[in-house]
Every structure is written in C-alpha cells, then in structure tokens.
Amino acid sequence: MQGVNVKSEIGNLKKVILHRPGDELLNLTPNTLEELLFDDIPFLEVAQAEHDAFADILRGEGVEVVYLEDLMTQVIDGNPELRDQFLDQWIFEAGIRTDIYKNIIKDYINAEYAGTKDMVMKTMAGINLQELPGSDTHLLVDMVSDRCKLVCAPMPNLYFTRDPFAMIGNGVSINRMYAHTRNRETIYGDYIFRYHPDFAGPPTYYDRNDTFHIEGGDILNINEHVLAIGISQRTEPDAIDAIAHNVFNDETSSIDTILAFNIPNNRAMMHLDTVFTQIDYDKFTIHPGIMGPLTVFEITPDGNGGTRIRERDEDLESILTEYVGQPVQLIPCGGGDRIAAEREQWNDGSNTLCVRPGTVVVYERNNVTNDVLYKNGINCLEMPSAELSRGRGGPRCMSMPAWREAL
C-alpha cells in the first residue's frame, strides 16, 4: 500500500493515520482555551485510554493503524539532515523571531530531546518559559513575563488528524487551516508527503502555503468521480475553486464533479463531516439542522481548463441519489428529535467513521442516534468518549484514512 488511495467514504478501510493525544493537552489552561479552540480541558490519562480503545477497535476490524508522530520520526531518522531544517521551520512558525530565543529553544530541544521521537512529541506539546534554561537574556519581555507563559504554543487539536491534510483519490490536499494555532499542524504532513517512503510523491491538490483556508473535515470522497466539499466556518469557497482546478486538470484523477455544500457558519457545524457522513452504499447520517439552510453547488470542468458552476435546486436526497447512483436514505442525528439532535450533534453524533459499508465507529455517548442507526441496519462499533469529545470532534475527525479498497 505505497502512496494513498481513498476514493470513497465507505470502502473497506485498510490503513489509517491517527495521533495519540500527548502532553500538548497538559499545556491547555483556562486562559488559553479560546485561543487553542477548546471548550474544556480533557483529562489526558483518560483521553489516551479512550484513544487506545479507538485504535484497538480499528485493528480488530483489520485496519493498519499508523501514528502521525511515528511517521514524522521515520522521516527524520531516514533523512537526518532534515532535523535542523524542521526545527528551524517549527521555531519560526511558532512565532519566534529573535535570534537569542531561536538559539535558546533549539539548544534546549537538542539537549533535552535528542531522540527523534522525543523531539517530535515535544514540538507537538509546546514549550513554556519556565522550562527554558534560566540564563539572563537581558530582555525586557522576560522581566515582565509570567514564567508560565507559553513560548511555543501546543497543538492540542492534533488528535483530529482529519483536518491538517486530506486524501483525495490518489492525491492529497495539505491544508491551510482556519486558525493560526492549527495551521502549524500541517508541517508534519508536508514532511511526510515529501519524504516518507510509504507516502512520498502523491499529486498535491492544495498546498499549506496557498492563500485560502480549507480543512480536511470539509472534504468527503463520495466515489471515484464525485468529491464533496463543505463551504463552512473553516473552508473558503476560493480554496474549493483552486482544488477543482487542480483536480480537474490532473490526468491521473478520475474526479469529474465537485459538490460544494454551503453549511451554516457556527461552532456546532464547523465542518461538513460534523453534519453529514456516509455510512453505507445508500445511507448517510445528517444533522437535521442543515436541511433548511443547505445550498449545493455543482462544479464540473468546462472543457477549456476552467470550471462550470451551477446551483442545484433539488433537495439533498435527490442530489445524492443522482450521484450515488441509487436511492439514498438520510438518517437524522437524534432520530429527528430536536433536543436530542442538538445535544448529540454537540458531541458529534453525525461524525462517524465507516470501516466498511454498513459498519461505523461511533461515540457510545450518542445513544439516541446510535439506536436509530441500529434500527436501520447499521453495525455500530461504540467507543468511549467522555474526554476525547471535549475537543469537539468525533471518530471521523480523529482519523485520516490513507487507503480504502475499491467499492
């Protein structure tokens, strides 16, 4: 399985990229929650146990689980000259601009985290001022700063591996993310898809240095011909235009249609996959709150290297039926009960990870939605989620499929 191959949301899942939550969660404080896009502080030990249960469920279904931190470690171990380059880039993207601090931080990491994986994990965890050697820098900022101040912010959202990059067929989008604090997460994908022997060299349909925001939670592979992308709080339409141009002009791509879903712009519906995921050949979970305000645009090649766009006036069920190739069933989160739907949507009741047609990983806490799925013939693999759910993302958010078998 060299390279990537994801041409659906439901084909048998063979390989997936995860990130086990680490010490980055220990650098969350009440004062930094908003900046770091969290609503609460997860209990790390329990979050790790829940994540391990998630990985075990996937392995039990025959999925190869690889970890982002291990892939990055393998890249640098295989190319030792990249260590300095990576550290310099990471320090710069952490906002460090003074030479004295660049040197202090780099020397500190190389001295205290000489092992490659230790170094990678530390770049994810972040650094606060009190960790650094206590030598007098003679800088005013150090004299007035709290010793607990974050010098290099952590990346607590990194266990949501869906967002920094996304597989599109046999290619990849390395995303420019909505929030500055998350945009640094894409540095790992950039190295992995350039240098890792198992992943290097796929067509790149979007680059982390491109202008407009897009995140992987808004990108869904419907089939080998159709890609769905959400216009959302975190994905701009300009980025979709760019991906459409690149995908349609790549002779190796079989995608000939992109459906752009304009969803409400709010925290509960931050990505398309928080309101809409495919769970079987003919079944989708949806949040009923998107049905009224949803607008769908169809983007196709115009035959001259550009695109043609038209707004679709039909209901969502009719549009999906056309592109899936058979009548579809939309299963509402919470079973259509408004209170249950809003409560369970907050805990990602519609954010499922399909491991094969009709079998999905779900949060056990969303019992109303899960019961509805069971009654509609879906096999739900329930995972614990008391702490992981505090990050506002479900099983799909926490996974980046790298290889699915053809349908």
Side-chain angles (χ1 to χ4, degrees):
M1 292 186 290
Q2 205 281 331
V4 301
N5 185 70
V6 181
K7 297 181 179 179
S8 77
E9 292 294 308
I10 62 172
N12 288 356
L13 181 59
K14 303 304 294 180
K15 191 173 187 177
V16 68
I17 301 172
L18 306 182
H19 167 62
R20 187 175 190 260
D23 288 352
E24 61 271 12
L25 295 187
L26 299 180
N27 274 326
L28 279 169
T29 66
N31 290 334
T32 61
L33 286 177
E34 183 176 0
E35 172 191 350
L36 297 174
L37 308 180
F38 267 69
D39 298 309
D40 202 352
I41 300 173
F43 178 22
L44 177 59
E45 184 178 339
V46 176
Q48 289 178 327
E50 292 172 352
H51 197 273
D52 290 343
F54 177 42
D56 286 342
I57 287 172
L58 294 175
R59 293 189 188 101
E61 297 297 316
V63 181
E64 179 186 358
V65 174
V66 296
Y67 289 95
L68 184 70
E69 52 269 33
D70 291 336
L71 297 178
M72 187 64 195
T73 299
Q74 291 157 10
V75 164
I76 294 177
D77 281 344
N79 305 270
E81 71 281 2
L82 291 178
R83 180 179 173 119
D84 271 356
Q85 175 186 311
F86 167 72
L87 275 178
D88 288 340
Q89 185 177 350
W90 175 80
I91 290 168
F92 179 84
E93 293 190 15
I96 306 303
R97 296 293 184 269
T98 59
D99 288 339
I100 189 170
Y101 258 108
K102 290 178 187 176
N103 294 331
I104 288 173
I105 291 169
K106 192 170 182 179
D107 289 346
Y108 166 69
I109 289 179
N110 282 330
E112 300 297 326
Y113 301 90
T116 305
K117 186 169 182 179
D118 290 339
M119 180 270 290
V120 169
M121 296 298 287
K122 186 58 182 172
T123 64
M124 296 174 173
I127 298 173
N128 61 57
L129 195 58
Q130 66 184 356
E131 294 179 68
L132 297 176
S135 57
D136 188 356
T137 62
H138 303 290
L139 296 176
L140 178 61
V141 65
D142 290 341
M143 296 181 182
V144 301
S145 293
D146 186 327
R147 291 294 294 170
C148 294
K149 174 186 174 183
L150 287 169
V151 180
C152 300
M155 302 184 196
N157 297 278
L158 200 54
Y159 70 88
F160 300 120
T161 51
R162 180 71 59 164
D163 297 324
F165 46 86
M167 313 307 177
I168 299 175
N170 297 119
V172 63
S173 171
I174 303 176
N175 300 324
R176 180 177 181 86
M177 302 183 76
Y178 170 75
H180 171 73
T181 189
R182 291 208 69 185
N183 206 41
R184 296 180 302 128
E185 297 173 24
T186 65
I187 191 173
Y188 305 106
D190 196 31
Y191 277 79
I192 289 165
F193 291 108
R194 288 178 188 271
Y195 301 109
H196 196 284
D198 292 343
F199 291 100
T204 301
Y205 297 130
Y206 205 77
D207 185 81
R208 69 193 300 263
N209 296 310
D210 287 344
T211 303
F212 301 103
H213 303 129
I214 187 167
E215 299 194 358
D218 281 312
I219 299 175
L220 283 71
N221 293 275
I222 302 299
N223 54 48
E224 63 180 348
H225 293 288
V226 182
L227 184 69
I229 307 181
I231 306 168
S232 70
Q233 182 192 58
R234 301 189 178 183
T235 292
E236 296 176 286
D238 312 76
I240 301 175
D241 284 334
I243 283 185
H245 178 271
N246 293 334
V247 168
F248 294 155
N249 288 284
D250 176 14
E251 294 181 355
T252 68
S253 172
S254 59
I255 295 168
D256 53 35
T257 303
I258 293 176
L259 299 177
F261 290 73
N262 195 8
I263 66 174
N265 186 331
N266 60 54
R267 173 79 165 145
M269 305 182 193
M270 71 179 80
H271 291 133
L272 183 61
D273 70 0
T274 64
V275 295
F276 173 80
T277 51
Q278 189 172 5
I279 56 178
D280 205 345
Y281 293 105
D282 61 347
K283 295 182 179 69
F284 293 79
T285 59
I286 64 160
H287 177 41
I290 70 166
M291 295 304 288
L294 183 67
T295 305
V296 181
F297 298 91
E298 175 193 82
I299 308 172
T300 54
D302 67 1
N304 298 307
T307 58
R308 182 183 295 109
I309 302 174
R310 67 174 176 133
E311 183 176 339
R312 299 297 302 258
D313 296 326
E314 305 91 329
D315 59 69
L316 178 60
E317 189 172 351
S318 299
I319 295 171
L320 291 175
T321 292
E322 175 182 342
Y323 284 105
V324 171
Q326 60 183 305
V328 302
Q329 179 183 2
L330 304 181
I331 302 174
C333 178
D337 178 278
R338 181 175 175 181
I339 293 176
E342 290 185 3
R343 183 182 68 251
E344 296 199 355
Q345 178 61 26
W346 185 246
N347 291 306
D348 293 284
S350 298
N351 189 264
T352 63
L353 173 65
C354 194
V355 296
R356 69 179 58 85
T359 296
V360 296
V361 185
V362 298
Y363 277 165
E364 64 182 0
R365 66 186 301 152
N366 295 316
N367 58 295
V368 176
T369 301
N370 295 344
D371 286 345
V372 173
L373 295 178
Y374 283 125
K375 289 174 182 175
N376 282 277
I378 301 300
N379 177 28
C380 294
L381 308 173
E382 299 188 14
M383 62 168 287
S385 56
E387 296 302 316
L388 291 174
S389 62
R390 296 179 190 271
R392 303 274 71 84
R396 188 181 192 274
C397 292
M398 293 190 299
S399 57
M400 188 61 254
W403 198 279
R404 287 188 183 272
E405 291 182 346
L407 291 175

